[in-house]
Coordinates of all heavy atoms in Angstrom, one line a residue:
M14 N -38.5 4.4 2.7 CA -39.9 4.0 2.2 C -39.7 2.7 1.5 O -38.7 2.5 0.6 CB -40.4 5.1 1.2 CG -40.7 6.4 1.9 SD -41.3 7.6 0.7 CE -40.4 9.0 1.1
T15 N -40.7 1.9 1.7 CA -40.6 0.6 1.1 C -41.4 0.6 -0.3 O -42.3 1.4 -0.6 CB -41.3 -0.5 1.8 OG1 -42.6 -0.2 2.0 CG2 -40.6 -0.7 3.2
E16 N -40.9 -0.1 -1.2 CA -41.5 -0.3 -2.6 C -42.7 -1.2 -2.4 O -42.7 -2.3 -1.7 CB -40.5 -0.9 -3.5 CG -39.6 0.1 -4.0 CD -40.0 1.1 -5.1 OE1 -41.0 0.6 -5.9 OE2 -39.5 2.2 -5.2
R17 N -43.9 -0.8 -3.1 CA -44.9 -1.6 -3.2 C -44.8 -2.6 -4.5 O -44.4 -2.1 -5.5 CB -46.2 -0.8 -3.4 CG -46.4 0.2 -2.1 CD -47.0 -0.6 -0.9 NE -48.4 -1.0 -1.1 CZ -49.1 -1.7 -0.2 NH1 -48.5 -2.1 0.9 NH2 -50.3 -2.1 -0.5
T18 N -45.3 -3.7 -4.4 CA -45.1 -4.6 -5.6 C -46.2 -4.2 -6.5 O -47.3 -3.7 -6.3 CB -45.3 -6.1 -5.2 OG1 -46.5 -6.3 -4.7 CG2 -44.2 -6.4 -4.2
P19 N -45.9 -4.6 -7.8 CA -46.9 -4.2 -8.9 C -48.3 -4.9 -8.5 O -49.3 -4.3 -8.8 CB -46.3 -4.8 -10.2 CG -44.9 -4.7 -10.0 CD -44.6 -5.0 -8.4
R20 N -48.2 -6.0 -8.0 CA -49.5 -6.8 -7.6 C -50.2 -6.0 -6.6 O -51.5 -5.9 -6.6 CB -49.2 -8.1 -7.1 CG -50.4 -9.0 -6.8 CD -50.0 -10.4 -6.4 NE -51.2 -11.1 -5.8 CZ -51.5 -12.1 -6.3 NH1 -50.9 -12.8 -7.3 NH2 -52.6 -12.8 -5.8
Q21 N -49.4 -5.5 -5.6 CA -50.2 -4.7 -4.5 C -50.7 -3.4 -5.0 O -51.9 -3.0 -4.7 CB -49.1 -4.4 -3.3 CG -48.7 -5.5 -2.5 CD -47.7 -5.3 -1.6 OE1 -46.7 -4.5 -1.9 NE2 -47.6 -5.8 -0.5
L22 N -50.0 -2.7 -5.9 CA -50.4 -1.5 -6.6 C -51.7 -1.7 -7.6 O -52.6 -0.8 -7.5 CB -49.3 -0.7 -7.3 CG -48.2 -0.2 -6.6 CD1 -47.2 0.4 -7.3 CD2 -48.7 0.9 -5.6
T23 N -51.7 -2.8 -8.1 CA -52.8 -3.2 -9.0 C -54.0 -3.4 -8.1 O -55.2 -3.0 -8.4 CB -52.5 -4.4 -9.8 OG1 -51.5 -4.4 -10.7 CG2 -53.8 -4.8 -10.7
K24 N -53.9 -4.0 -7.0 CA -55.0 -4.4 -6.1 C -55.6 -3.0 -5.6 O -56.8 -2.8 -5.5 CB -54.5 -5.3 -4.8 CG -55.6 -5.4 -3.9 CD -55.1 -6.4 -2.9 CE -56.1 -6.5 -1.7 NZ -55.5 -7.3 -0.6
T25 N -54.7 -2.0 -5.2 CA -54.9 -0.8 -4.7 C -55.7 -0.1 -5.8 O -56.8 0.7 -5.6 CB -53.8 0.1 -4.2 OG1 -53.1 -0.6 -3.1 CG2 -54.3 1.5 -3.7
W26 N -55.3 -0.1 -6.9 CA -55.9 0.6 -8.1 C -57.2 0.1 -8.3 O -58.2 0.8 -8.7 CB -55.0 0.4 -9.5 CG -55.6 1.1 -10.5 CD1 -55.4 2.5 -10.8 CD2 -56.3 0.6 -11.7 NE1 -56.0 2.8 -11.9 CE2 -56.7 1.7 -12.5 CE3 -56.9 -0.6 -11.8 CZ2 -57.4 1.6 -13.7 CZ3 -57.7 -0.8 -13.1 CH2 -57.8 0.4 -13.8
I27 N -57.5 -1.3 -8.2 CA -58.8 -1.9 -8.5 C -59.8 -1.3 -7.4 O -60.9 -1.0 -7.6 CB -58.7 -3.4 -8.5 CG1 -58.1 -3.9 -9.8 CG2 -60.1 -4.0 -8.3 CD1 -57.6 -5.3 -9.8
I28 N -59.3 -1.2 -6.2 CA -60.0 -0.8 -5.0 C -60.4 0.7 -5.3 O -61.6 1.1 -5.1 CB -59.4 -0.9 -3.7 CG1 -59.2 -2.4 -3.4 CG2 -60.0 -0.1 -2.7 CD1 -58.3 -2.6 -2.1
L29 N -59.5 1.4 -5.9 CA -59.8 2.9 -6.2 C -60.9 3.0 -7.3 O -61.8 3.8 -7.1 CB -58.6 3.6 -6.6 CG -57.6 4.0 -5.4 CD1 -56.2 4.6 -6.0 CD2 -58.2 5.0 -4.6
V30 N -60.7 2.1 -8.2 CA -61.8 2.1 -9.4 C -63.3 1.8 -8.8 O -64.1 2.5 -9.1 CB -61.3 1.3 -10.6 CG1 -62.4 1.0 -11.4 CG2 -60.1 1.9 -11.2
L31 N -63.2 0.9 -8.0 CA -64.6 0.5 -7.3 C -65.1 1.5 -6.4 O -66.3 1.8 -6.3 CB -64.3 -0.8 -6.5 CG -64.1 -2.2 -7.2 CD1 -63.8 -3.3 -6.4 CD2 -65.3 -2.4 -8.2
M32 N -64.2 2.4 -5.7 CA -64.6 3.4 -4.8 C -65.1 4.7 -5.8 O -66.1 5.3 -5.4 CB -63.5 3.9 -4.0 CG -63.1 3.0 -2.9 SD -61.7 3.6 -2.1 CE -62.2 3.8 -0.6
V33 N -64.4 4.8 -7.0 CA -65.0 5.8 -7.9 C -66.4 5.5 -8.4 O -67.2 6.3 -8.4 CB -63.9 6.0 -9.0 CG1 -64.6 6.8 -10.1 CG2 -62.7 6.7 -8.5
L34 N -66.6 4.2 -8.8 CA -67.8 3.7 -9.2 C -68.9 3.8 -8.2 O -70.1 4.3 -8.5 CB -67.8 2.3 -9.7 CG -66.9 2.1 -11.0 CD1 -66.9 0.7 -11.3 CD2 -67.5 2.9 -12.2
A35 N -68.6 3.5 -6.9 CA -69.5 3.7 -5.8 C -69.8 5.2 -5.6 O -70.9 5.6 -5.4 CB -68.9 3.2 -4.6
G36 N -68.9 6.1 -5.8 CA -69.1 7.4 -5.7 C -69.9 7.9 -6.8 O -70.8 8.8 -6.6
L37 N -69.8 7.4 -8.0 CA -70.6 7.9 -9.1 C -72.1 7.4 -8.8 O -73.0 8.2 -9.1 CB -70.1 7.3 -10.4 CG -68.9 7.8 -11.0 CD1 -68.5 6.9 -12.1 CD2 -69.3 9.2 -11.5
L38 N -72.3 6.2 -8.3 CA -73.6 5.8 -8.0 C -74.2 6.6 -7.0 O -75.4 7.0 -6.9 CB -73.6 4.3 -7.5 CG -73.3 3.3 -8.6 CD1 -73.3 1.9 -8.1 CD2 -74.4 3.4 -9.8
L39 N -73.5 7.0 -5.9 CA -74.0 7.8 -4.7 C -74.3 9.2 -5.2 O -75.2 9.8 -4.8 CB -73.0 8.0 -3.6 CG -72.9 6.8 -2.6 CD1 -71.7 6.9 -1.7 CD2 -74.2 6.6 -1.9
S40 N -73.5 9.8 -6.2 CA -73.6 11.1 -6.6 C -75.1 11.2 -7.5 O -75.6 12.4 -7.5 CB -72.5 11.6 -7.5 OG -72.4 10.9 -8.8
L41 N -75.4 10.1 -8.1 CA -76.8 10.2 -8.8 C -77.8 10.3 -7.7 O -78.7 11.0 -8.1 CB -76.8 8.9 -9.5 CG -76.0 8.7 -10.7 CD1 -76.2 7.3 -11.3 CD2 -76.1 9.8 -11.8
K42 N -77.6 9.9 -6.6 CA -78.6 9.9 -5.5 C -78.6 11.5 -4.8 O -79.6 11.9 -4.3 CB -78.5 8.8 -4.5 CG -78.7 7.5 -5.1 CD -80.2 7.3 -5.3 CE -80.4 5.9 -5.8 NZ -81.7 5.6 -6.2
V43 N -77.4 12.0 -4.9 CA -77.2 13.2 -4.1 C -77.5 14.6 -5.0 O -77.3 15.6 -4.4 CB -75.7 13.2 -3.5 CG1 -75.4 14.5 -2.8 CG2 -75.5 12.1 -2.6
Q44 N -77.9 14.4 -6.1 CA -78.1 15.5 -7.0 C -79.2 16.4 -6.5 O -79.0 17.5 -6.6 CB -78.6 14.9 -8.4 CG -77.7 14.1 -9.2 CD -76.7 15.1 -9.9 OE1 -76.9 16.0 -10.3 NE2 -75.4 14.5 -10.1
S45 N -80.1 16.0 -5.7 CA -81.2 16.9 -5.4 C -80.7 17.5 -4.1 O -80.0 16.9 -3.2 CB -82.6 16.1 -5.1 OG -82.4 15.3 -4.0
P46 N -81.3 18.8 -3.8 CA -80.8 19.4 -2.6 C -81.4 18.9 -1.3 O -80.9 19.0 -0.3 CB -81.3 20.9 -2.8 CG -82.1 20.8 -4.0 CD -81.9 19.6 -4.7
A47 N -82.5 18.1 -1.5 CA -83.1 17.4 -0.3 C -82.4 16.0 -0.2 O -83.2 15.1 0.5 CB -84.5 17.3 -0.5
A48 N -81.3 15.7 -0.7 CA -80.8 14.4 -0.7 C -80.4 14.1 0.8 O -80.0 15.0 1.7 CB -79.5 14.3 -1.4
P49 N -80.7 12.8 1.3 CA -80.2 12.5 2.7 C -78.9 12.8 3.1 O -78.0 12.6 2.1 CB -80.6 11.0 2.8 CG -81.5 10.7 1.6 CD -81.2 11.8 0.6
L50 N -78.7 13.3 4.2 CA -77.4 13.7 4.7 C -76.4 12.5 4.7 O -75.3 12.6 4.5 CB -77.4 14.3 6.0 CG -76.1 15.0 6.6 CD1 -75.7 16.1 5.7 CD2 -76.4 15.5 8.0
V51 N -77.0 11.3 5.0 CA -76.1 10.1 5.0 C -75.4 9.8 3.7 O -74.2 9.4 3.6 CB -77.0 8.8 5.4 CG1 -76.2 7.6 5.4 CG2 -77.6 9.1 6.8
L52 N -76.1 10.0 2.5 CA -75.5 9.7 1.2 C -74.3 10.8 1.0 O -73.4 10.5 0.4 CB -76.6 9.9 0.2 CG -77.6 8.8 0.2 CD1 -78.6 9.1 -1.1 CD2 -76.9 7.5 0.0
T53 N -74.6 12.0 1.4 CA -73.6 13.1 1.2 C -72.4 12.7 2.1 O -71.2 12.7 1.7 CB -74.1 14.4 1.6 OG1 -75.2 14.8 0.9 CG2 -73.0 15.5 1.4
L54 N -72.6 12.3 3.3 CA -71.5 11.8 4.2 C -70.7 10.7 3.7 O -69.6 10.5 3.8 CB -71.9 11.7 5.7 CG -72.6 13.0 6.3 CD1 -73.1 12.6 7.7 CD2 -71.6 14.0 6.4
A55 N -71.4 9.7 3.1 CA -70.9 8.6 2.6 C -69.9 8.9 1.3 O -68.9 8.3 1.1 CB -71.9 7.5 2.2
L56 N -70.4 9.8 0.6 CA -69.6 10.3 -0.6 C -68.3 11.0 -0.1 O -67.2 10.7 -0.6 CB -70.4 11.2 -1.4 CG -70.0 11.6 -2.8 CD1 -69.7 10.4 -3.7 CD2 -71.0 12.5 -3.5
L57 N -68.5 11.7 1.0 CA -67.3 12.5 1.4 C -66.3 11.5 2.0 O -65.0 11.5 1.9 CB -67.7 13.5 2.5 CG -68.4 14.8 1.8 CD1 -68.9 15.5 2.9 CD2 -67.5 15.5 1.0
M58 N -66.8 10.4 2.7 CA -66.0 9.4 3.2 C -65.3 8.7 2.2 O -64.1 8.3 2.4 CB -66.8 8.4 4.3 CG -66.0 7.4 4.9 SD -67.1 6.2 5.7 CE -67.8 5.2 4.6
L59 N -65.9 8.4 1.2 CA -65.2 7.8 0.0 C -64.2 8.5 -0.5 O -63.0 8.1 -0.8 CB -66.2 7.3 -1.0 CG -67.0 6.1 -1.1 CD1 -68.0 6.1 -2.2 CD2 -66.1 4.9 -1.0
A60 N -64.3 9.8 -0.6 CA -63.2 10.8 -1.1 C -62.0 10.9 -0.2 O -60.9 10.6 -0.6 CB -63.8 12.1 -1.2
V61 N -62.3 10.6 1.2 CA -61.1 10.8 2.2 C -60.4 9.4 2.0 O -59.2 9.3 2.0 CB -61.7 11.0 3.5 CG1 -60.5 10.8 4.5 CG2 -62.2 12.4 3.5
L62 N -61.2 8.3 1.9 CA -60.5 7.0 1.9 C -59.6 6.8 0.6 O -58.6 6.3 0.7 CB -61.6 5.9 1.9 CG -62.2 5.7 3.3 CD1 -63.3 4.7 3.1 CD2 -61.2 5.3 4.3
K63 N -60.1 7.4 -0.6 CA -59.4 7.3 -1.8 C -58.1 8.2 -1.6 O -57.1 7.8 -2.0 CB -60.2 7.9 -3.0 CG -61.3 7.0 -3.4 CD -62.0 7.5 -4.8 CE -62.7 8.6 -4.4 NZ -63.5 9.1 -5.5
A64 N -58.2 9.3 -1.0 CA -57.1 10.1 -0.8 C -55.9 9.4 0.0 O -54.8 9.5 -0.2 CB -57.5 11.4 -0.2
R65 N -56.5 8.8 1.1 CA -55.7 7.8 2.0 C -54.8 6.9 1.1 O -53.7 6.6 1.3 CB -56.4 7.3 3.1 CG -55.5 6.5 4.1 CD -56.4 6.0 5.1 NE -55.6 5.2 6.1 CZ -55.2 3.9 6.0 NH1 -55.7 3.2 4.8 NH2 -54.5 3.3 6.8
L66 N -55.6 6.1 0.2 CA -54.9 5.0 -0.5 C -53.9 5.7 -1.4 O -52.7 5.1 -1.6 CB -55.9 4.3 -1.3 CG -56.8 3.2 -0.5 CD1 -57.8 2.7 -1.3 CD2 -55.9 2.0 0.1
V67 N -54.2 6.8 -2.1 CA -53.3 7.3 -3.0 C -51.9 7.9 -2.2 O -50.9 7.6 -2.7 CB -53.9 8.7 -3.7 CG1 -52.9 9.4 -4.4 CG2 -55.1 8.1 -4.6
V68 N -52.1 8.5 -1.0 CA -51.0 9.0 -0.2 C -50.2 7.7 0.3 O -48.9 7.8 0.2 CB -51.4 9.8 0.9 CG1 -50.5 10.1 2.0 CG2 -52.1 11.1 0.5
L69 N -50.8 6.8 0.8 CA -50.1 5.6 1.2 C -49.5 4.7 0.2 O -48.2 4.4 0.3 CB -51.0 4.8 2.2 CG -51.4 5.5 3.4 CD1 -52.4 4.6 4.3 CD2 -50.3 6.1 4.4
D70 N -50.1 4.5 -0.8 CA -49.7 3.5 -1.8 C -49.0 4.1 -3.1 O -47.8 3.9 -3.4 CB -50.8 2.6 -2.2 CG -51.3 1.6 -1.1 OD1 -50.4 1.4 -0.2 OD2 -52.3 1.1 -1.1
F71 N -49.5 5.0 -3.7 CA -49.1 5.6 -5.0 C -48.1 6.7 -4.7 O -47.1 6.8 -5.5 CB -50.2 6.0 -5.8 CG -51.0 5.0 -6.4 CD1 -52.2 4.6 -5.9 CD2 -50.5 4.2 -7.3 CE1 -52.9 3.5 -6.5 CE2 -51.2 3.1 -7.9 CZ -52.5 2.8 -7.4
L72 N -48.1 7.4 -3.6 CA -47.0 8.3 -3.3 C -45.8 7.6 -2.4 O -45.0 8.2 -2.1 CB -47.6 9.4 -2.4 CG -48.5 10.4 -3.1 CD1 -49.0 11.7 -2.2 CD2 -47.8 11.1 -4.4
G73 N -46.1 6.4 -2.0 CA -45.1 5.5 -1.4 C -44.8 6.0 0.1 O -43.7 5.9 0.5
L74 N -45.9 6.5 0.7 CA -45.7 7.0 2.1 C -46.2 6.0 3.2 O -46.3 6.5 4.3 CB -46.4 8.3 2.2 CG -45.6 9.5 1.5 CD1 -46.5 10.8 1.5 CD2 -44.3 9.6 1.7
R75 N -46.4 4.9 2.8 CA -46.9 3.9 3.9 C -45.9 3.8 5.0 O -46.3 3.6 6.2 CB -47.2 2.6 3.3 CG -48.1 1.6 4.2 CD -48.6 0.5 3.3 NE -49.8 0.7 2.5 CZ -51.0 0.9 3.0 NH1 -51.2 0.7 4.3 NH2 -52.0 1.0 2.2
S76 N -44.6 3.8 4.6 CA -43.7 3.7 5.7 C -42.7 5.0 5.7 O -41.6 5.1 6.2 CB -42.8 2.4 5.5 OG -42.1 2.6 4.2
G77 N -43.3 6.1 5.2 CA -42.5 7.3 5.1 C -42.6 8.2 6.4 O -43.1 7.7 7.4
P78 N -42.2 9.4 6.3 CA -42.2 10.2 7.5 C -43.6 10.4 8.1 O -44.6 10.6 7.2 CB -41.6 11.5 6.9 CG -40.9 11.3 5.7 CD -41.6 10.1 5.2
R79 N -43.8 10.1 9.2 CA -45.3 10.2 9.9 C -45.9 11.6 9.7 O -47.0 11.5 9.5 CB -45.1 9.8 11.3 CG -46.3 9.7 12.1 CD -46.2 9.0 13.4 NE -47.6 8.6 13.9 CZ -48.1 9.1 14.9 NH1 -47.5 9.8 15.8 NH2 -49.3 8.7 15.3
V80 N -45.1 12.5 10.0 CA -45.7 14.0 10.0 C -46.2 14.2 8.5 O -47.3 14.8 8.3 CB -44.6 15.0 10.3 CG1 -45.1 16.4 10.0 CG2 -44.1 14.8 11.6
L81 N -45.4 13.7 7.5 CA -45.9 13.9 6.0 C -47.2 13.2 5.8 O -48.1 13.7 5.1 CB -44.8 13.6 5.2 CG -45.0 13.9 3.6 CD1 -45.2 15.3 3.5 CD2 -43.8 13.5 2.8
R82 N -47.2 11.9 6.2 CA -48.4 11.1 6.1 C -49.6 11.7 6.6 O -50.8 11.9 6.2 CB -48.2 9.6 6.7 CG -47.7 8.7 5.8 CD -47.8 7.3 6.4 NE -47.8 7.1 7.8 CZ -46.7 6.7 8.5 NH1 -45.6 6.4 7.9 NH2 -46.8 6.7 9.9
I83 N -49.5 12.1 7.9 CA -50.6 12.8 8.6 C -51.1 14.1 8.0 O -52.2 14.3 7.7 CB -50.2 13.0 10.1 CG1 -50.0 11.8 10.9 CG2 -51.2 13.9 10.8 CD1 -49.5 11.9 12.2
G84 N -50.0 14.9 7.6 CA -50.4 16.1 6.8 C -51.1 15.9 5.5 O -52.1 16.5 5.3
L85 N -50.8 14.9 4.8 CA -51.3 14.7 3.4 C -52.7 14.1 3.6 O -53.5 14.1 2.6 CB -50.4 13.8 2.6 CG -49.2 14.6 2.1 CD1 -48.3 13.7 1.3 CD2 -49.6 15.7 1.2
I86 N -53.0 13.4 4.7 CA -54.3 12.7 5.0 C -55.2 13.8 5.7 O -56.4 13.7 5.4 CB -54.2 11.5 5.7 CG1 -53.4 10.4 4.7 CG2 -55.5 10.9 6.1 CD1 -53.2 9.2 5.5
A87 N -54.7 14.7 6.5 CA -55.4 15.7 7.2 C -56.0 16.7 6.2 O -57.2 17.3 6.5 CB -54.5 16.3 8.2
W88 N -55.2 17.0 5.1 CA -55.7 17.9 4.1 C -57.1 17.7 3.6 O -58.0 18.4 3.6 CB -54.5 18.1 3.1 CG -54.9 19.3 2.0 CD1 -55.1 18.9 0.8 CD2 -54.7 20.6 2.3 NE1 -55.3 20.2 0.2 CE2 -55.2 21.2 1.1 CE3 -54.4 21.4 3.4 CZ2 -55.2 22.6 0.9 CZ3 -54.5 22.7 3.2 CH2 -54.8 23.3 2.0
P89 N -57.2 16.4 2.9 CA -58.6 16.1 2.4 C -59.5 16.0 3.4 O -60.8 16.3 3.2 CB -58.4 14.9 1.5 CG -57.0 14.4 2.0 CD -56.3 15.4 2.5
L90 N -59.2 15.5 4.6 CA -60.1 15.2 5.7 C -60.7 16.7 6.2 O -61.8 16.8 6.4 CB -59.5 14.5 6.9 CG -60.3 14.2 8.1 CD1 -61.5 13.3 7.7 CD2 -59.4 13.6 9.1
F91 N -59.8 17.6 6.3 CA -60.3 19.1 6.6 C -61.4 19.4 5.6 O -62.4 19.9 6.1 CB -59.1 19.9 6.6 CG -59.5 21.4 6.6 CD1 -60.0 22.0 7.9 CD2 -59.5 22.2 5.5 CE1 -60.4 23.3 8.0 CE2 -59.9 23.6 5.6 CZ -60.3 24.1 6.9
F92 N -61.2 19.3 4.3 CA -62.2 19.8 3.5 C -63.3 19.0 3.5 O -64.5 19.5 3.2 CB -61.5 19.8 2.0 CG -60.6 21.0 1.9 CD1 -59.1 20.8 1.8 CD2 -61.0 22.3 1.7 CE1 -58.3 21.8 1.7 CE2 -60.3 23.4 1.6 CZ -58.8 23.2 1.6
A93 N -63.3 17.7 3.6 CA -64.4 16.7 3.7 C -65.3 17.2 5.0 O -66.4 17.3 4.9 CB -64.1 15.3 3.8
L94 N -64.7 17.6 6.1 CA -65.4 18.0 7.3 C -66.0 19.3 7.0 O -67.2 19.6 7.4 CB -64.4 18.1 8.6 CG -63.9 16.6 9.0 CD1 -62.9 17.0 10.2 CD2 -65.2 16.0 9.5
A95 N -65.4 20.3 6.2 CA -66.0 21.4 6.0 C -67.1 21.3 5.0 O -68.2 22.0 5.3 CB -64.9 22.4 5.3
A96 N -67.1 20.4 4.1 CA -68.2 20.1 3.2 C -69.3 19.5 4.0 O -70.5 19.7 3.8 CB -67.8 19.2 2.1
A97 N -69.1 18.5 4.9 CA -69.9 18.0 5.7 C -70.7 19.0 6.7 O -72.0 18.7 6.7 CB -69.3 16.9 6.7
A98 N -70.0 19.8 7.2 CA -70.7 21.0 7.9 C -71.6 21.7 7.1 O -72.7 22.1 7.6 CB -69.5 21.8 8.5
K99 N -71.2 22.0 5.8 CA -72.0 22.7 5.0 C -73.3 22.1 4.6 O -74.4 22.6 4.6 CB -71.3 23.2 3.8 CG -72.1 23.9 2.8 CD -71.3 24.3 1.6 CE -72.1 25.1 0.5 NZ -71.5 25.4 -0.8
A100 N -73.1 20.8 4.4 CA -74.3 19.8 4.0 C -75.3 19.7 5.2 O -76.4 19.7 5.0 CB -73.8 18.6 3.6
L101 N -74.6 19.7 6.5 CA -75.4 19.5 7.7 C -76.2 21.0 7.8 O -77.4 20.9 8.2 CB -74.5 19.3 8.9 CG -75.2 19.2 10.3 CD1 -76.3 18.0 10.2 CD2 -74.4 19.0 11.3
I102 N -75.6 22.0 7.6 CA -76.2 23.3 7.7 C -77.4 23.5 6.7 O -78.5 23.9 7.0 CB -75.4 24.5 7.8 CG1 -74.3 24.5 8.9 CG2 -75.9 26.0 7.5 CD1 -73.2 25.4 8.7
A103 N -77.2 23.0 5.6 CA -78.2 23.1 4.5 C -79.4 22.2 4.9 O -80.4 22.5 4.6 CB -77.6 22.7 3.1
A104 N -79.1 20.9 5.4 CA -80.1 20.1 5.7 C -80.9 20.5 7.0 O -82.3 20.4 6.9 CB -79.5 18.7 6.2
V105 N -80.4 21.2 7.8 CA -81.1 21.8 9.1 C -81.9 23.0 8.5 O -83.1 23.2 8.9 CB -80.0 22.2 10.1 CG1 -80.8 23.0 11.1 CG2 -79.5 21.0 10.7
S106 N -81.4 23.9 7.7 CA -82.2 25.0 7.1 C -83.4 24.5 6.3 O -84.3 25.2 6.2 CB -81.2 25.9 6.4 OG -80.8 25.4 5.3
L107 N -83.0 23.4 5.6 CA -84.3 23.0 4.8 C -85.4 22.4 5.5 O -86.5 22.5 5.3 CB -83.9 21.9 3.9 CG -83.0 22.3 2.5 CD1 -82.6 21.0 1.7 CD2 -84.0 23.1 1.6
S108 N -85.0 21.8 6.7 CA -86.0 21.2 7.6 C -86.6 22.1 8.4 O -87.7 22.0 9.1 CB -85.5 20.0 8.3 OG -84.6 20.5 9.3
G109 N -86.0 23.2 8.6 CA -86.4 24.2 9.8 C -87.1 25.3 9.2 O -88.1 25.7 8.7

């Protein structure tokens, strides 16, 4: 595994903070049960992207074992897809 320089980690950290702020702004819009599905999916996508950055940069797996990288990224992706399915079912039942 290769070491990330402090400058690279700082850049990743700033990106993560911006993603958290974007998520906070999106969550203000997603408070109501009739929130557009697109906002919910965008919030879930941000969560998966944040998990990817943490796994690759802060856990140092950017050049680590491929199976471990895939597994640690697939885990939050699985839960995001489950949450997206639940949101989609809720949106369909509200409109139907």
Side-chain angles (χ1 to χ4, degrees):
M14 290 182 231
T15 60
E16 285 279 328
R17 301 284 287 172
T18 65
R20 183 179 173 121
Q21 291 168 323
L22 289 176
T23 302
K24 181 179 172 185
T25 301
W26 185 81
I27 289 170
I28 291 170
L29 285 170
V30 169
L31 291 174
M32 290 173 118
V33 167
L34 293 175
L37 286 172
L38 291 175
L39 280 174
S40 69
L41 294 175
K42 299 288 184 184
V43 179
Q44 293 280 332
S45 69
L50 187 60
V51 175
L52 292 177
T53 303
L54 295 178
L56 193 58
L57 290 170
M58 183 181 72
L59 273 175
V61 171
L62 289 174
K63 286 187 294 186
R65 181 181 180 274
L66 283 175
V67 168
V68 166
L69 295 180
D70 292 337
F71 287 102
L72 292 179
L74 294 175
R75 191 167 288 278
S76 62
R79 185 169 194 240
V80 174
L81 188 57
R82 267 194 331 255
I83 290 171
L85 287 174
I86 293 171
W88 184 254
L90 183 62
F91 168 76
F92 286 106
L94 289 174
K99 183 179 177 186
L101 181 62
I102 290 169
V105 169
S106 67
L107 282 177
S108 66

